[in-house]
Amino acid sequence: MGSRPLLGLSAALLLASGCARAPSPLAPQFGGSIGMPHRGVLTAAAELPAEGEGYRWLRQDDRHHGLPRFVKAIERAAAVVARERPGAILGVGDLSARNGGQLLPHLSHRTGRDADLLLYLTTLDGAPVESPGFIRVGNDGLAWDEKGKRFLRFDVERTWLLVKTLVEDPDARIQWAFASRNVEALLLEWAHARGETGETLSRAMDVMLQPRPGGPHDDHLHIRTACSPAEIVAGCEHTGPVRPWIEALDRDAGHTASDWELADALFRPAGGELGPRAPSPRSGEPTAHLVPTSTANDEHADRR
Ligand SMILES: [Zn+2]
């Protein structure tokens, strides 16, 4: 409840400022992840360190910046996998540039809310190997490593542990974990067999999706974090389905549904294409009708 006056004030400021979309002396309230994943910028970013417990950058470049809480969540998840199933290293691909904006070849990755995580792989005998890069996993769970001229195996156990940790982490606020249908099926089959709880399974089923277009995502997971109410007030534009467990978290933190809707509405384009209350794609109808086209297709479309 305490958030209401603050939000009201911010809303008035935003309306007065005509919803300018970049931080400026005239709109100092904007900061962090500003805009949408495919059309926006990033300020006050944190850079994921080049390596940490259980992970390492795939490439040495300037593409590992994100919302600080999102970066921390990636570090935490890699560390959990490393502690519970030691021996493997998570390869981390692109997040965002230091100040966000276009990051080719991606269409998204512009606002510090996206990250490409490589799939864990093992040898055919089950020994963990550091992924040499974006290696495609087939229906049989095998992946051809062109560099090493050998088959590797999709490490379902560690990759599931990564997904589970991320969807159970309240600060990660995972809205999407783009993955191919095949990768998703292998992960969920494993999770079922392991007796995962219904809540964890349903979260994973909600967030995993093979985007169209954007490549099948059979060689990595592309995760996206959802804006928090405070981030929305600071310029983060929500797009796509609202995950019920994230909404519940915000409710527990004192944000009411109407706060959320107000903050969200401030940034909805005139065309209203966002469909802020779109049901989960797993609620019984074909995904194509329920995931707004601007989210499931265009903005998520990136080759990596
Ligand atoms: Zn990506």
Side-chain angles (χ1 to χ4, degrees):
M1 286 304 165
S3 64
R4 266 195 174 287
L6 176 63
L7 193 58
L9 176 61
S10 301
L13 285 171
L14 288 177
L15 292 172
S17 69
C19 290
R21 283 319 170 79
S24 82
L26 294 178
Q29 72 274 30
F30 289 116
S33 178
I34 303 170
M36 291 194 254
H38 65 297
R39 192 181 69 217
V41 295
L42 175 65
T43 72
E47 184 179 36
L48 180 76
E51 59 186 297
E53 187 175 2
Y55 80 88
R56 190 173 295 144
W57 289 357
L58 175 63
R59 302 185 202 93
Q60 299 296 311
D61 56 27
D62 199 30
R63 293 170 160 236
H64 302 91
H65 304 272
L67 272 175
R69 65 164 177 81
F70 184 50
V71 167
K72 285 281 172 214
I74 294 169
E75 290 186 73
R76 273 196 301 277
V80 165
V81 177
R83 281 171 215 164
E84 295 194 17
R85 291 290 178 273
I89 294 288
L90 172 67
V92 179
D94 290 349
L95 276 71
S96 293
R98 183 175 302 275
N99 297 308
Q102 189 179 63
L103 192 74
L104 293 172
H106 313 279
L107 292 183
S108 60
H109 287 259
R110 296 186 182 198
T111 53
R113 278 139 63 190
D114 296 277
D116 287 345
L117 306 177
L118 296 186
L119 305 175
Y120 289 96
L121 299 169
T122 68
T123 64
L124 295 183
D125 296 333
V129 292
E130 190 167 345
S131 175
F134 291 86
I135 303 266
R136 304 180 63 175
V137 170
N139 292 345
D140 51 7
L142 295 180
W144 175 248
D145 169 17
E146 182 59 33
K147 267 187 228 161
K149 302 289 183 204
R150 59 176 176 169
F151 276 106
L152 297 173
R153 196 186 292 282
F154 177 36
D155 188 342
V156 188
E157 182 179 21
R158 287 190 179 86
T159 307
W160 168 252
L161 189 51
L162 180 75
V163 170
K164 169 184 160 74
T165 305
L166 284 167
V167 299
E168 290 179 349
D169 183 339
D171 272 350
R173 302 176 70 88
I174 298 297
Q175 184 192 23
W176 293 111
F178 297 111
S180 71
R181 288 174 190 277
N182 174 49
V183 165
E184 175 183 354
L186 291 168
L187 289 171
L188 292 177
E189 186 182 22
W190 173 267
H192 272 291
R194 301 285 293 183
E196 282 299 344
T197 68
E199 174 63 19
T200 297
L201 271 174
S202 78
R203 290 182 187 187
M205 289 167 69
D206 273 357
V207 303
M208 285 198 276
L209 178 74
Q210 177 170 317
R212 312 175 301 277
H217 282 65
D218 55 1
D219 53 9
H220 74 291
L221 287 173
H222 173 152
I223 58 170
R224 173 168 305 155
T225 188
C227 307
S228 71
E231 287 159 2
I232 289 176
V233 169
C236 191
E237 294 185 62
H238 178 76
T239 169
V242 176
R243 304 303 179 195
W245 69 93
I246 296 178
E247 203 172 25
L249 279 173
D250 294 339
R251 210 164 33 238
D252 291 348
H255 294 281
T256 64
S258 58
D259 280 344
W260 220 100
E261 279 163 359
L262 172 60
D264 190 34
L266 289 172
F267 292 101
R268 202 172 304 142
E273 84 252 29
L274 295 188
R277 295 285 154 179
S280 149
R282 301 312 170 108
S283 60
E285 290 186 47
T287 296
H289 297 297
L290 292 176
V291 178
T293 48
S294 68
T295 60
N297 298 329
D298 308 336
E299 113 206 17
H300 297 157
D302 59 10
R303 296 218 339 96
R304 297 279 183 228

